[in-house]
Amino acid sequence: MTEFVSPEAMADMIPSGVKLGLAPDGSGSCPAMIRFLIERGIRDLHVVCAPIGGMQVDMLIGAGAVSVLETSAVSLGEAGGAPCFGRAIRNGEIRMLDATCPAVFAGLSAAEKGVPFMPIRGIIGSDVLKNHPNWKVTTNPFDESEKIVVVSAIQPDITLIHAPEADRFGNVRLGRRREVMLLAHASKKTFVTVERISETSLLDDEKLAAGVLPAMYVSAVAEYKGAAWPTGLYAEYEVDAGEVENYARAARTPEGFLAYITGTRSAA
Amino acid sequence: MTTECTNRELLIYTISRLLDGVEHVAVGMSSPMPAAGAMLLRALNKKQGLGDVQVSILGSVRHNSFTSGSEELFDCAAQGRIGAFFLGGGQIDGKGNVNLVGAGGYPNSPVRWPGSYGSAYLYFLVPRVILFREEHSPRVLVDQVDFISAPGATEDGVYRRGGPHALLTNAAMFSFQRDTGRFRLESVHPGRSAADIREMTGFSFDNDRCEVETPGPDAEILALMRGQIRSELAETYPQFAASLPEAA
């Protein structure tokens, strides 16, 4: 059963120490919820970016909430490098699991299918492979002359995403952002904030149904309009580029980051 | 005949030449120059009655038709459905290795870049990967990268149908020779000499006395770039399009 809760109550349901799945900025990111987590002093997260991170991940790192970061990249896009991420790497404050995008998807796919690993092309000869403890090179069991990489399953304890719409039954419309669907399928629990809640079932409309995450994967829904600001939400609202630049500037120093995070909390 | 054009227009035109014959080009969301080159190829093919070119801009809702999320690009590439892709790199070395992770040691790199993205995979599977980095300097084009995000060459027994095809900078264009695993200087952009390129490059390469000048677009192609291509670009990259010269 999907619970319907307030955003604050949802934040209370995410404890320190979990493996937390997050979507890329603009594709289901939820910086407003990240702020709640930071205010609650969340710590020791293993963050899984599916497959890359942006401002919301940088904020968690800046707040000292991340101990392990599994991602293919962290960037603020047009606003440049992610400042807290760069600082944490230099100072050795996070354990980095550098990945490559399709390998993250392969690991999530393994979890989705309930198998221990997934084979994937490429990667052999890279330092990404050399430094990743959960990837191995094996022999293709059907062709012994071929070497191939296998990545172990990635199963987040909790995935936290923002989506355009849910219905009263807990079904969530994701549309064509299937990588968010994959992330939710792979995770033990998925918490979703949404722009709006529909009174009629999203599964009733054949045109929508294929893009809907069914309620059985959705542990909790909170209505939280504008929660993707300033990173944006696909097909709903654009990134607020000026605000991301403000963040990029402020977060250049730990003091600036702190001032930013305790300052304005929404566009309104 | 070459008409006066800007360095950026020369690069866009050169990208379109490097893409010649490709049916499906994928470009990153924040890669306006490769996108411009791909759009130019599409327009030129159309004019000449050649095959249609599909340009997929990753992260764009309007300019890609993927409905299975961002993993669909990678599945497409593995099946051979993507002909060309672009990689940048904080460092690129003479063996075609690309570093998108950081310089000065790992994991606590003093200089850290965003990360490898899909490079460690796409470099093996997309037949024509074009290395594109405007800055041409010994700090970018190094003898040996500090971290290999994606290797230029691969041992036997590993599936590989793709890899580096060319390296384009704001000063020169190199091809990559897969048999020797080395770059070959193919042409030098106007205003530069082969000696300049040797000076500006941190690795050794073949044909280092090359006297070929990178050809620019003729008047007709330049007019196309300043009109139709500029407007097409403006839909996705408004700021970049505005920085390009407009048709007279």
Side-chain angles (χ1 to χ4, degrees):
Chain A
M1 272 298 280
T2 307
E3 280 185 74
F4 285 80
V5 297
S6 68
E8 292 85 349
M10 181 176 279
D12 289 337
M13 295 158 76
I14 303 175
S16 291
V18 294
K19 189 179 278 195
L20 181 67
L22 295 172
D25 280 6
S27 296
S29 54
C30 193
M33 285 297 294
I34 295 299
R35 280 176 178 260
F36 279 134
L37 296 181
I38 291 171
E39 280 167 21
R40 279 157 176 71
I42 196 163
R43 282 287 179 277
D44 199 26
L45 295 172
H46 175 145
V47 170
V48 175
C49 301
I52 58 170
M55 179 174 163
Q56 64 171 0
V57 171
D58 198 63
M59 294 197 313
L60 276 176
I61 295 170
V66 179
S67 60
V68 181
L69 179 63
E70 191 165 359
T71 188
S72 307
V74 184
S75 160
L76 298 183
E78 300 295 307
C84 297
F85 166 66
R87 204 156 43 234
I89 289 283
R90 277 193 298 282
N91 299 337
E93 290 162 358
I94 50 173
R95 185 170 163 239
M96 189 64 198
L97 293 178
D98 261 291
T100 184
C101 304
V104 175
F105 292 137
L108 293 170
S109 294
E112 178 186 51
K113 293 175 198 312
V115 296
F117 61 84
M118 189 66 68
I120 179 172
R121 293 285 194 209
I123 306 175
I124 294 172
S126 71
D127 289 334
V128 191
L129 174 65
K130 273 186 202 147
N131 289 283
H132 205 299
N134 303 331
W135 301 353
K136 288 189 188 317
V137 178
T138 188
T139 302
N140 174 354
F142 301 98
D143 174 1
E144 288 189 358
S145 69
E146 193 194 8
K147 282 186 247 173
I148 192 161
V149 171
V150 290
V151 309
S152 71
I154 302 170
Q155 184 178 42
D157 296 309
I158 295 173
T159 275
L160 174 64
I161 52 169
H162 186 66
E165 185 176 23
D167 66 23
R168 279 289 162 217
F169 312 95
N171 304 303
V172 175
R173 179 166 64 80
L174 297 173
R176 69 178 95 189
R177 297 256 65 115
R178 305 291 300 195
E179 69 274 16
V180 182
M181 186 91 74
L182 170 64
L183 178 62
H185 286 175
S187 301
K188 291 179 192 165
K189 291 180 180 176
T190 296
F191 296 160
V192 190
T193 56
V194 292
E195 290 292 312
R196 68 194 78 86
I197 294 180
S198 154
E199 295 303 325
T200 57
S201 171
L202 295 167
L203 293 176
D204 286 349
D205 184 342
E206 185 59 27
K207 285 183 183 159
L208 294 180
V212 171
L213 176 69
M216 65 171 159
Y217 300 100
V218 182
S219 299
V221 167
E223 189 171 352
Y224 196 172
K225 199 166 176 51
W229 178 85
T231 57
L233 177 62
Y234 59 95
E236 293 276 333
Y237 43 92
E238 293 288 313
V239 58
D240 181 344
E243 182 61 20
V244 178
E245 276 166 31
N246 289 343
Y247 171 78
R249 253 193 312 278
R252 272 185 215 153
T253 62
E255 300 73 31
F257 169 77
L258 201 64
Y260 181 90
I261 211 79
T262 48
T264 339
R265 72 160 305 115
S266 76
Chain B
M1 197 198 79
T2 298
T3 315
E4 282 291 307
C5 70
T6 66
N7 188 265
R8 278 192 159 172
E9 287 174 327
L10 178 74
L11 295 181
I12 292 168
Y13 174 65
T14 306
I15 289 168
S16 78
R17 291 197 299 123
L18 289 169
L19 293 174
D20 187 33
V22 172
E23 290 172 8
H24 187 179
V25 184
V27 300
M29 183 65 163
S30 48
S31 307
M33 304 270 277
M39 287 171 179
L40 179 59
L41 175 75
R42 181 168 66 188
L44 289 171
N45 271 21
K46 195 166 185 185
K47 269 186 107 149
Q48 294 162 34
L50 298 171
D52 195 23
V53 179
Q54 189 176 347
V55 182
S56 293
I57 299 175
L58 310 180
S60 162
V61 170
R62 190 163 168 189
H63 295 282
N64 85 58
S65 59
F66 297 134
T67 53
S68 280
S70 53
E71 66 265 43
E72 189 174 354
L73 163 77
F74 302 110
D75 297 347
C76 261
Q79 294 182 354
R81 294 179 195 268
I82 311 270
F85 187 70
F86 298 84
L87 281 180
Q91 293 176 333
I92 296 166
D93 74 22
K95 295 188 270 307
N97 297 314
V98 175
N99 176 5
L100 296 162
V101 162
Y106 184 85
N108 303 327
S109 319
V111 178
R112 172 73 205 205
W113 300 310
S116 300
Y117 292 97
S119 64
Y121 174 90
L122 292 172
Y123 216 28
F124 287 72
L125 298 170
V126 177
R128 248 186 252 187
V129 178
I130 295 165
L131 301 171
F132 177 62
R133 177 75 204 243
E134 286 188 78
E135 179 180 335
H136 192 137
S137 72
R139 75 173 194 140
V140 172
L141 305 182
V142 297
D143 187 46
Q144 173 69 50
V145 293
D146 292 354
F147 183 97
I148 301 175
S149 286
T154 296
E155 57 191 293
D156 286 343
V158 175
Y159 182 92
R160 185 156 195 173
R161 75 158 121 228
H165 174 68
L167 165 63
L168 178 64
T169 72
N170 64 14
M173 198 266 278
F174 302 83
S175 62
F176 188 77
Q177 308 161 105
R178 289 193 192 164
D179 50 344
T180 58
R182 281 172 64 84
F183 287 102
R184 180 182 193 274
L185 183 58
E186 293 293 341
S187 68
V188 178
H189 302 346
R192 302 280 191 188
S193 68
D196 293 339
I197 303 305
R198 289 195 299 274
E199 184 86 3
M200 293 157 74
T201 309
F203 56 75
S204 71
F205 51 87
D206 295 341
N207 197 30
D208 65 358
R209 303 199 174 268
C210 172
E211 289 186 357
V212 178
E213 184 178 273
T214 310
D218 63 21
E220 197 183 340
I221 294 175
L222 197 62
L224 185 68
M225 291 170 75
R226 291 180 177 178
Q228 184 190 329
I229 302 304
R230 197 173 176 278
S231 335
E232 281 179 25
L233 275 171
E235 291 172 8
T236 314
Y237 307 103
Q239 282 173 316
F240 175 75
S243 77
L244 294 175
E246 213 171 340

